[in-house]
């Protein structure tokens, strides 16, 4: 199975981006759908990291925020459960992790604080889910749109550099670096104008 981005021709990488993971297999080789999907995801992430490193950092930070959001909600729900079995000291310990001073809070105030924090966390989660959903709608391109996007990009690069790019020969890693270098070159030229 193809393991690195420089092992896959651009043509096959485009097919991979369209969801055809079988192009990762060498002749006669077999793999599970999960293995293929995992490898495809890794290669696509590697490609995007070369083409747009700052965009990938933003994506990683967004995923990190999502995990933190879910952990906060889970912790607050656990606190509600702890309250229901009168484990208020444990709730105070959890709230210390959220930098909440509970030393002078009564049990009723603690219950009220947890309820408010949970409502706020649920509201934040719903708002962020809606934002992610709106942003994600643009990312769900059809295979035809993906192919067309690569065709447009290849045509631009061929015109820009006045060279031929054969997608059956050039590997995806080299192509990704060309795209990235072109973006840098264009930004430099814009600044000079």
């Amino acid at each position: 199975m193809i393991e690195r981005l420089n092992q896959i021709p651009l043509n096959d990488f485009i097919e991979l981006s369209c969801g055809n993971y079988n192009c990762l297999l060498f002749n006669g080789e077999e793999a599970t759908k999960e293995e293929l999907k995992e490898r495809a995801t890794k290669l696509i992430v590697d490609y995007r990291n070369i083409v747009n490193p700052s965009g990938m950092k933003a994506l990683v930070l967004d995923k990190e925020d999502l995990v933190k959001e879910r952990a906060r909600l889970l912790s607050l729900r656990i606190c509600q459960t702890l309250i229901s079995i009168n484990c208020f000291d444990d709730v105070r310990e959890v709230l210390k992790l959220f930098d909440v001073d509970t030393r002078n809070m009564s049990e009723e105030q603690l219950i009220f604080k947890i309820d408010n924090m949970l409502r706020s966390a649920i509201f934040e989660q719903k708002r962020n889910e809606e934002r992610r959903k709106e942003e994600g709608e643009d990312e769900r391109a059809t295979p035809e749109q993906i192919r067309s996007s690569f065709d447009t990009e290849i045509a631009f690069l061929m015109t820009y550099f006045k060279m031929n790019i054969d997608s059956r020969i050039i590997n995806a890693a080299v192509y990704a670096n060309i795209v990235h270098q072109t973006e840098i070159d264009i930004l430099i030229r814009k600044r000079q104008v």
Side-chain angles (χ1 to χ4, degrees):
M1 184 181 325
I2 291 176
E3 295 181 15
R4 297 182 317 275
L5 198 55
N6 64 359
Q7 293 177 305
I8 186 168
L10 178 59
N11 201 41
D12 288 347
F13 182 78
I14 294 169
E15 286 303 309
L16 179 77
S17 299
C18 294
N20 180 6
Y21 304 147
N22 290 328
C23 59
L24 294 174
L25 298 174
F26 296 114
N27 288 340
E29 193 175 25
E30 292 184 17
T32 66
K33 280 186 177 183
E34 292 79 24
E35 291 171 327
L36 287 172
K37 187 172 183 176
E38 184 178 320
R39 183 64 47 87
T41 300
K42 179 197 174 300
L43 291 172
I44 290 170
V45 166
D46 289 348
Y47 176 85
R48 289 181 180 171
N49 198 33
I50 294 170
V51 170
N52 187 359
S54 58
M56 280 306 295
K57 287 178 187 172
L59 182 65
V60 168
L61 290 175
D62 194 42
K63 296 292 183 188
E64 180 183 342
D65 288 345
L66 178 65
V67 170
K68 287 179 182 177
E69 191 177 275
R70 289 178 179 165
R72 182 177 179 86
L73 265 173
L74 179 61
S75 298
L76 292 170
R77 286 190 173 122
I78 289 171
C79 284
Q80 276 190 324
T81 303
L82 289 169
I83 286 171
S84 71
I85 57 173
N86 295 320
C87 294
F88 290 97
D89 290 337
D90 292 333
V91 172
R92 291 178 196 283
E93 288 298 315
V94 172
L95 287 180
K96 279 183 190 176
L97 299 173
F98 291 119
D99 294 326
V100 176
D101 184 10
T102 61
R103 287 177 288 189
N104 298 325
M105 285 188 187
S106 67
E107 291 178 354
E108 290 79 24
Q109 289 172 322
L110 209 54
I111 293 169
F112 183 74
K113 183 69 173 177
I114 291 293
D115 288 344
N116 280 341
M117 289 177 72
L118 187 59
R119 273 195 299 278
S120 175
I122 290 170
F123 173 77
E124 282 292 318
Q125 182 188 39
K126 286 182 180 178
R127 187 175 69 181
N128 290 334
E129 281 177 359
E130 287 177 16
R131 178 187 54 82
R132 287 183 196 108
K133 185 178 179 182
E134 287 173 11
E135 290 172 357
E137 286 175 5
D138 295 336
E139 293 177 17
R140 292 186 209 121
T142 65
E144 293 77 24
Q145 291 169 325
I146 293 169
R147 287 184 189 97
S148 176
S149 173
F150 273 101
D151 289 346
T152 302
E153 188 175 71
I154 292 167
F156 171 78
L157 292 172
M158 287 172 40
T159 303
Y160 188 80
F161 289 112
K162 296 176 180 32
M163 63 179 259
N164 185 37
I165 296 176
D166 189 339
S167 62
R168 295 166 298 176
I169 296 173
I170 191 169
N171 70 53
V174 170
Y175 179 78
N177 280 291
I178 290 172
V179 171
H180 181 67
Q181 286 304 122
T182 304
E183 186 175 325
I184 290 171
D185 188 50
I186 290 171
L187 287 173
I188 289 170
R189 288 179 187 216
K190 281 183 179 178
R191 289 182 190 145
Q192 291 174 347
V193 173

